[in-house]
């Protein structure tokens, strides 16, 4: 695998140097943007595997950059914040950031988070590739079963159990749940879900996804009005918490 690409968006020269030095030493391909506008440009041209994003930035602030990038790419975003009230913003507004660190942070902690997030990206890509392979292969293959607390999703037998009781899912609901479960922990856009579950040639709009998510929640969530399993990621899509 080629070097993971990390985009660092930060305007403090001393911190830029430290981040660049340490991330490069870990074997990452690092690019640097010192303001929000440059961040958007670089993200679009380099398509990073992970984005480190400071909030207080010149030109366009980090929250706005996060909001914009979330609509364009699924690379995980680790926000860097200097103030506690910014943490409330990140969490409360569901900006689409995957994680955050409060300054000052230890480099060791930052590197550990980066490593964990990139590992998750790599696993997802491998799973997507495997899924593609098994979709291309003849029927059969190895058994595949997921267990999330009281929810069991048996993909081989096309069986779903909630608290040991089998529940009935329509074929598309099952396909959707299978896709979500295989990509647990990852933000999935409506378009990607539509493409992977309904196929390229599907004519309906992404509202179809929302409707099926609602039906699935009614069947698998303990409290469908406050979903804990299939979480909405504002203005993007959904994330399955497994
Ligand atoms: Ca700053």
């Amino acid at each position: 695998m080629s070097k993971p690409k990390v985009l660092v968006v930060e305007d403090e020269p001393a911190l830029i140097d430290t981040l660049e030095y340490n991330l490069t030493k870990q074997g990452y391909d690092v690019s640097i943007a010192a303001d929000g506008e440059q961040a958007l440009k670089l993200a679009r041209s380099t398509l990073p595997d992970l984005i480190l994003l400071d909030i207080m930035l010149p030109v366009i602030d980090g929250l706005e950059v996060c909001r914009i990038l979330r609509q364009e790419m699924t690379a995980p975003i680790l926000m860097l914040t200097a103030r506690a009230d910014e943490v409330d913003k990140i969490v409360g507004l569901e900006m689409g950031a995957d994680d955050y660190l409060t300054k000052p942070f230890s480099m060791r902690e930052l590197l550990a988070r980066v490593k964990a997030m990139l590992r998750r990206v790599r696993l997802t890509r491998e799973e997507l590739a495997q899924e593609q392979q098994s979709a291309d292969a003849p029927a059969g293959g190895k058994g595949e079963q997921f267990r999330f607390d009281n929810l069991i999703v048996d993909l081989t037998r096309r069986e779903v159990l909630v608290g040991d009781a089998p529940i009935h899912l329509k074929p598309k609901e099952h396909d959707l749940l299978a896709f979500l479960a295989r990509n647990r922990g990852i933000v999935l856009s409506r378009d990607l879900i539509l493409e992977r579950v309904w196929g390229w040639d599907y004519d309906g709009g992404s509202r179809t996804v929302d409707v099926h998510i609602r039906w699935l929640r009614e069947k698998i969530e303990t409290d469908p009005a406050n979903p804990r399993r299939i979480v909405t990621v504002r203005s993007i899509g959904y994330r399955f918490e497994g």
Side-chain angles (χ1 to χ4, degrees), residues 24 47 64 66 112 124 133 137 142 192 194 208 210 234-235:
T24 306
L47 297 175
E64 181 64 8
C66 180
T124 307
Q133 270 177 1
K142 63 177 167 58
L192 180 69
L194 202 61
T208 307
D210 298 329
R234 214 169 83 154
S235 76

Side-chain angles (χ1 to χ4, degrees), residues 10-12 54-58 103:
E10 174 59 65
D11 62 326
E12 285 169 49
D54 183 30
I55 291 190
M56 294 291 281
L57 287 171
K103 292 178 182 178

Side-chain angles (χ1 to χ4, degrees), residues 95-143:
M95 294 305 304
D98 296 80
D99 203 352
Y100 66 86
L101 269 178
T102 310
K103 292 178 182 178
F105 48 81
S106 79
M107 194 50 61
R108 194 186 160 130
E109 172 70 13
L110 178 125
L111 292 174
R113 300 271 187 106
V114 166
K115 192 174 169 189
M117 290 167 94
L118 283 170
R119 183 170 173 272
R120 218 162 66 176
V121 171
R122 199 187 68 229
L123 288 176
T124 307
R125 286 189 188 151
E126 284 170 8
E127 280 172 15
L128 282 171
Q130 270 171 13
E131 187 195 329
Q132 191 58 49
Q133 270 177 1
S134 58
D136 294 343
K142 63 177 167 58

Side-chain angles (χ1 to χ4, degrees), residues 1 13 68 77 82 92 102 141 155 164 166 196 210-211 229:
M1 186 182 163
I68 295 169
I77 298 175
T102 310
L155 299 178
D164 293 334
R196 300 303 296 254
D210 298 329
V211 170
R229 194 61 73 191

